[in-house]
Amino acid sequence: MNDHAQPGPPGRVLLIEDEPNIATAIAFILQRDGWRVSTHSDGATAIDAVSRHTPDVVVLDVMLPGKSGFDILSGLRSGDWTDLPVLMLTAKGQAKDRERAEALGVSRFMTKPFSNQDLLGAIRDLATLAPR
Amino acid sequence: MARPVPTGSRIRERRMTLGMRQAHLARAAEISPSYLNLIEHNRRAIGGGLLTRIAEALETDRATLSEDGDPALVESLRAAGAAQGMAVEYLDQAEEMARRRPEWARLIVTQAEAMAAQARTIEALSDRLTHDPTLADAMHELLSTVSVVRSTAAILAQTPDIDRNWLGRFHTNLDADSRRLAEGAEAIVSHFDREGTRGADRLLPSEAVARFLEGATAPLAQLEAEGVAAIPELVAGLDPDARALASDILQSDAADAARLPSPVVMAADGPDALIEAAGGDLALVLRRLGLLDPGRGLVICDAAGAILRRKAVAGFPLPVMGAGCPLWPVYGALTQPGHPIVALIETPDGAVWRAHAIASPTSQASFATPPVLRATMLLSRADDASARPAPVGPGCRVCPREACAARREPSVLSLAQGSRSRPA
């Protein structure tokens, strides 16, 4: 999936998303922007995947099999990943979900459907916050 | 309160408003003009058929002209004003308003009742959007699919140099996702179509029954007097689904009444005094006291926490729809079936209540199936209690305790006040 890499901010993105078609689209967009993208679809092992891939930015869906995005975010923030930029994606745009994510320490919260440009812009913004 | 305007003066005022000559009205009422003049100056009493004839000639009704007015209209008008927080001195003008401007008064009352009905409908729909898992799942699926279609279409439109493999893959995905989108949209339309067949006020059967049981014509008194024979007439006005549900509840209430008659209940000074008469059935004691004593409230829920029965009591607001406060002892009772709980709780306004709660099986258990549990909670005022009460609320949606650890959703109270911090 790196065939289309173009100059862009160097960095790794871990995409935790169980819907294969949206994972394909997001990965394609990010790779063309120069990102190295890893995908993971299982909520239960998502934190292990973060440890394994050591991404600069995590893109995290809320509704995942095994463990919700909220639980994963909580696990990251209570572990070794307190500063890791996490962009949360959800189709549940209710205020309580956003508030819950912010209370758990999310870096950015986007609701589906989103534009590709907004997604890219958000990840670029977050990458500048990533601890190096 | 303002002194009532005499009947004669009201006849004169009405006639002059219509621009009718005294002689014309006298002829229509089959009396002499001089006698009508005496009536209009309150020198002759009037009533009976003459008042009816004058009212007809003045194109109004007897109640409008009568000194006594229309008490029901006056009361409704006062209630409408009170509901909007109108000051007492203005509420006292309701009688004069009903008498002098009855058409406008009826319009105000009708509109106030319509507004109250719409508020109940909005609350019910709002609760359904929050608590309807079918609708929530369908919306989630739809938005997720829209997101894929939007991203994929943008890639295809904005990537002229995309290679053939990716092109084929995205076309295939787009085809599949557009089908999913159509199916998701149809699922939501079907959902609302089913909702639309539920009647004008779009109530679920459980909601209709809750309203029926709590309504101004609560069926308890007739049920106490006549037993199960009263049920068919009591539930006749409900839709079939709601009727069946209400019948089951009322039959259960009638059975309770037979086991623990109201005179016994009302003679007791609390739950403890009724245990022996109830044969040790503590839930029965709580149900009977809760339903019969206007000074006590009652909540019954199933093992999932869904409220099956609620009887409100002044000072302890219960949510009209949806779940109650997770801190209520009735939910704690579900964790230890058969063990009664007595706890002091405090509502957000500082009032202290004593809650008696117990969870009991409603079905026979077997080694293959656990019993079906139901928890019952009786609420009684306990302002003289010395122990420290536990803070509770009426349910998250209408609870002002912002920082409560048990909060599961924002309160509409804080939303209305704009006090919630918004994300950056």
Side-chain angles (χ1 to χ4, degrees):
Chain A
M1 294 174 79
N2 281 322
D3 295 349
H4 306 278
Q6 292 177 346
R12 292 181 300 275
V13 173
L14 175 59
L15 172 59
I16 305 173
E17 167 66 73
D18 67 320
E19 167 53 51
N21 290 2
I22 197 158
T24 300
I26 293 174
F28 181 86
I29 299 159
L30 291 173
Q31 285 167 356
R32 285 189 64 90
D33 200 46
W35 298 89
R36 283 165 285 159
V37 181
S38 305
T39 57
H40 191 83
S41 61
D42 178 31
T45 55
I47 295 176
D48 294 338
V50 172
S51 300
R52 198 165 57 250
H53 293 286
T54 60
D56 297 299
V57 178
V58 169
V59 178
L60 177 62
D61 189 26
V62 169
M63 302 281 278
L64 290 164
K67 188 181 275 189
S68 78
F70 294 121
D71 292 336
I72 295 166
L73 179 62
S74 175
L76 290 172
R77 293 303 187 230
S78 60
D80 297 332
W81 307 98
T82 52
D83 297 326
L84 176 65
V86 176
L87 168 61
M88 206 161 212
L89 299 177
T90 180
K92 298 175 70 179
Q94 293 174 354
K96 63 179 180 177
D97 293 325
R98 182 183 290 266
E99 287 175 356
R100 185 178 175 192
E102 293 191 340
L104 291 171
V106 75
S107 312
R108 187 81 177 253
F109 189 90
M110 290 184 76
T111 53
K112 299 175 182 176
F114 46 80
S115 80
N116 295 347
Q117 292 309 313
D118 287 347
L119 181 68
L120 277 177
I123 291 174
R124 281 174 172 266
D125 289 347
L126 290 176
T128 63
L129 304 174
R132 302 282 176 178
Chain B
M1 192 177 291
R3 189 180 163 202
V5 178
T7 300
S9 299
R10 284 199 296 279
I11 291 172
R12 180 178 175 81
E13 182 181 288
R14 174 69 180 169
R15 178 177 62 74
M16 294 182 78
T17 300
L18 294 176
M20 185 184 291
R21 294 173 60 85
Q22 205 174 43
H24 179 85
L25 177 58
R27 191 163 51 250
E30 301 168 13
I31 56 176
S32 68
S34 58
Y35 188 65
L36 176 59
N37 192 51
L38 291 172
I39 290 172
E40 286 191 352
H41 288 86
N42 303 303
R43 293 179 188 165
R44 290 290 184 276
I46 178 171
L50 178 54
L51 182 58
T52 302
R53 290 199 300 279
I54 289 178
E56 287 172 354
L58 292 174
E59 299 169 4
T60 185
D61 52 53
R62 284 175 55 102
T64 303
L65 299 178
S66 168
E67 227 166 275
D68 298 331
D70 181 345
L73 179 61
V74 173
E75 266 318 297
S76 299
L77 203 53
R78 285 177 64 85
Q84 294 300 315
M86 191 176 269
V88 173
E89 64 258 36
Y90 295 114
L91 295 181
D92 284 345
Q93 295 172 359
E95 189 174 329
E96 186 181 350
M97 174 77 175
R99 187 178 299 119
R100 285 178 171 264
R101 303 280 182 266
E103 291 82 6
W104 284 105
R106 286 190 191 96
L107 179 65
I108 290 170
V109 168
T110 302
Q111 289 186 336
E113 289 173 350
M115 283 170 61
Q118 285 167 359
R120 287 195 299 271
T121 302
I122 290 168
E123 186 171 7
L125 289 173
S126 171
D127 275 359
R128 191 165 305 150
L129 282 173
T130 305
H131 298 293
D132 185 338
T134 306
L135 184 58
D137 287 349
M139 287 302 295
H140 180 267
E141 172 71 10
L142 192 69
L143 288 170
S144 293
T145 313
V146 166
S147 191
V148 187
V149 169
R150 184 177 179 186
S151 285
T152 307
I155 289 169
L156 291 173
Q158 296 163 8
T159 317
D161 59 337
I162 192 166
D163 74 35
R164 292 172 61 85
N165 287 338
W166 279 110
L167 190 63
R169 187 168 175 180
F170 282 133
H171 275 153
T172 303
N173 288 355
L174 201 54
D175 179 56
D177 288 325
S178 61
R179 290 173 195 270
R180 273 176 60 197
L181 192 58
E183 289 165 4
E186 282 177 10
I188 288 179
V189 169
S190 300
H191 184 81
F192 282 113
D193 275 352
R194 287 194 297 273
E195 294 284 304
T197 63
R198 285 189 179 142
D201 57 2
R202 305 171 72 83
L203 290 178
L204 293 166
S206 57
E207 295 165 350
V209 171
R211 188 177 291 183
F212 163 72
L213 293 171
E214 292 173 359
T217 54
L220 191 63
Q222 194 173 343
L223 193 68
E224 291 285 332
E226 302 173 26
V228 291
I231 294 175
E233 182 189 336
L234 285 170
V235 302
L238 296 170
D239 289 338
D241 287 347
R243 196 183 308 148
L245 193 56
S247 293
D248 288 346
I249 291 172
L250 294 181
Q251 282 180 6
S252 178
D253 284 353
D256 280 358
R259 291 174 62 197
L260 199 56
S262 59
V264 177
V265 177
M266 297 315 292
D269 62 358
D272 291 327
L274 288 169
I275 296 174
E276 188 176 342
D281 185 341
L282 301 189
L284 172 63
V285 170
L286 303 187
R287 287 195 302 270
R288 291 297 285 159
L289 266 175
L291 289 179
L292 288 172
D293 187 344
R296 301 179 198 265
L298 180 72
V299 174
I300 301 175
C301 72
D302 66 15
I307 298 180
L308 307 173
R309 189 80 183 262
R310 71 197 82 203
K311 194 211 106 185
V313 57
F316 198 107
L318 299 174
V320 178
M321 308 290 173
C325 171
L327 301 175
W328 286 352
V330 69
Y331 300 121
L334 286 167
T335 65
Q336 40 188 332
H339 292 260
I341 292 176
V342 182
L344 288 176
I345 54 178
E346 184 182 49
T347 47
D349 63 356
V352 179
W353 297 79
R354 181 170 286 105
H356 291 76
I358 188 161
S360 332
T362 60
S363 68
Q364 183 71 46
S366 75
F367 290 111
T369 54
V372 174
L373 288 178
R374 191 164 286 187
T376 306
M377 176 172 73
L378 177 72
L379 296 162
S380 315
R381 285 301 287 259
D383 291 323
D384 57 343
S386 55
R388 188 173 176 182
V392 301
C396 290
R397 292 189 73 247
V398 287
C399 180
R401 297 188 196 276
E402 284 281 341
C404 176
R407 178 168 290 288
R408 65 176 168 271
E409 60 181 332
S411 168
V412 295
L413 301 178
S414 52
L415 283 171
Q417 291 161 3
S419 60
R420 282 193 319 149
S421 60
R422 303 304 304 173

